[in-house]
Amino acid sequence: MSKIQATFERLQAQGRQALIPFITAGDPDPALTVPLMHTLVDAGADIIELGVPFSDPMADGPTIQRASERALLKGVSLRQVLGMVANFRADNNETPVVLMGYANPIESMGIDDFAATAFDAGVDGVLVVDYPPEEGAAFAHAMHANALDPIFLLAPTSTAARISQVAALASGYVYYVSLKGVTGSTALDVDAVAARIPEIRSATGIPVGVGFGIRDAATAAAVARIADAVVVGSRIVETIEQSTPENVCANVHAFVSELRRGIDGGKGQHG
């Protein structure tokens, strides 16, 4: 059983939902990434999504684009990101880590080389934004062959056929993009999300995480009532952007703790 599956099963037994925060590796500085990862866990994260910086992150809004740019200016590469995960694993072998990024750096490294190196580093899942399921079979096979969960995106525009394609390949969880647009958008319609979740659950049988547009504890609580996991990225990256190296961990801890309290206080029917 993967760490991700075990985490969701433990939470389900407790009647709780997962909190999955996102940060970009190398932002604001490579030396702060591992401390920030530990900060996320201390504040209540169940799974960490670690963004691999990329020059053209087309699904991401300006906030995460700027984070990628800052990390790339520091020279952060995919291999360095894997090294950060290995360093995190020196002190934490329990919290699942999902790499989130784009196909180009992985294909430059070679999918099989990447999968083996990611497993050795302690990565648990990989979400590649620009691998649609129609083109993702080889990627998913390489991930499964190395005991990694391939995680796919679904969106409000996803058809029943697309949901079935994802169901055939995905493990760990499905990431449901809660709105049309890029990360950091603000117009989240929780009722519209709630209407789609049962269809996805019935097709996949694996947990459904919801992200994009979750910017505060109240929205996180509302999403937690309908989903298995709440994914928050842009708002955390904004907190990092607005902090100094001296106070960034404290500021991120305060915000993520607030999300955790919202999710746990707003929990409803699970599954």
Side-chain angles (χ1 to χ4, degrees), residues 235-252:
R235 186 63 184 79
I236 295 170
V237 175
E238 273 180 24
T239 300
I240 292 170
E241 188 173 47
Q242 295 163 3
S243 299
T244 66
E246 293 73 28
N247 66 18
V248 64
C249 286
N251 290 349
V252 168

Side-chain angles (χ1 to χ4, degrees), residues 217-266:
T219 310
V223 171
R225 287 193 284 271
I226 57 173
D228 301 290
V230 179
V231 187
V232 183
S234 290
R235 186 63 184 79
I236 295 170
V237 175
E238 273 180 24
T239 300
I240 292 170
E241 188 173 47
Q242 295 163 3
S243 299
T244 66
E246 293 73 28
N247 66 18
V248 64
C249 286
N251 290 349
V252 168
H253 190 283
F255 178 66
V256 175
S257 296
E258 189 179 310
L259 293 173
R260 177 82 267 171
R261 288 191 295 272
I263 290 169
D264 288 345

Side-chain angles (χ1 to χ4, degrees), residues 2 4-5 49 97-100 106 111 114-115 123-129 131-133 135-154 165-175 204 206-207:
S2 75
I4 295 173
Q5 182 182 347
E49 281 189 2
V97 175
V98 173
L99 294 190
M100 184 170 184
I106 292 173
I111 290 177
F114 163 75
V123 172
D124 300 287
V126 183
L127 195 170
V128 181
V129 175
Y131 275 152
E135 301 169 15
F139 159 72
H141 177 77
M143 298 305 107
H144 284 305
N146 287 274
L148 300 168
D149 284 320
I151 295 160
F152 286 88
L153 296 168
L154 288 171
Q165 288 171 325
V166 164
L169 297 175
S171 61
Y173 59 96
V174 171
Y175 187 141
T204 64
I206 61 174

Side-chain angles (χ1 to χ4, degrees), residues 4-174:
I4 295 173
Q5 182 182 347
T7 295
F8 276 108
E9 290 190 4
R10 171 177 55 80
L11 289 168
Q12 188 164 22
Q14 298 168 352
R16 300 173 67 225
Q17 284 68 35
L19 171 57
I20 308 180
F22 167 98
I23 60 172
T24 299
D27 178 47
D29 186 88
L32 284 168
T33 297
V34 174
L36 278 168
M37 292 172 74
H38 288 301
T39 295
L40 295 174
V41 175
D42 290 342
D46 298 296
I47 297 168
I48 294 171
E49 281 189 2
L50 187 62
V52 178
F54 184 56
S55 56
D56 186 26
M58 59 198 172
D60 294 300
T63 299
I64 294 177
Q65 286 186 22
R66 289 193 299 270
S68 267
E69 289 165 6
R70 290 191 293 269
L72 291 171
L73 284 172
K74 301 275 187 176
V76 175
S77 67
L78 176 55
R79 287 192 186 275
Q80 283 180 289
V81 175
L82 294 172
M84 293 170 184
V85 177
N87 290 340
F88 174 74
R89 285 282 173 246
D91 297 303
N92 182 321
N93 200 37
E94 291 78 43
T95 305
V97 175
V98 173
L99 294 190
M100 184 170 184
Y102 294 80
N104 188 277
I106 292 173
E107 294 189 352
S108 295
M109 186 172 175
I111 290 177
D112 292 330
D113 182 15
F114 163 75
T117 307
F119 173 78
D120 289 342
V123 172
D124 300 287
V126 183
L127 195 170
V128 181
V129 175
D130 48 351
Y131 275 152
E134 298 90 341
E135 301 169 15
F139 159 72
H141 177 77
M143 298 305 107
H144 284 305
N146 287 274
L148 300 168
D149 284 320
I151 295 160
F152 286 88
L153 296 168
L154 288 171
T157 53
S158 295
T159 62
R162 169 61 65 90
I163 293 170
S164 295
Q165 288 171 325
V166 164
L169 297 175
S171 61
Y173 59 96
V174 171

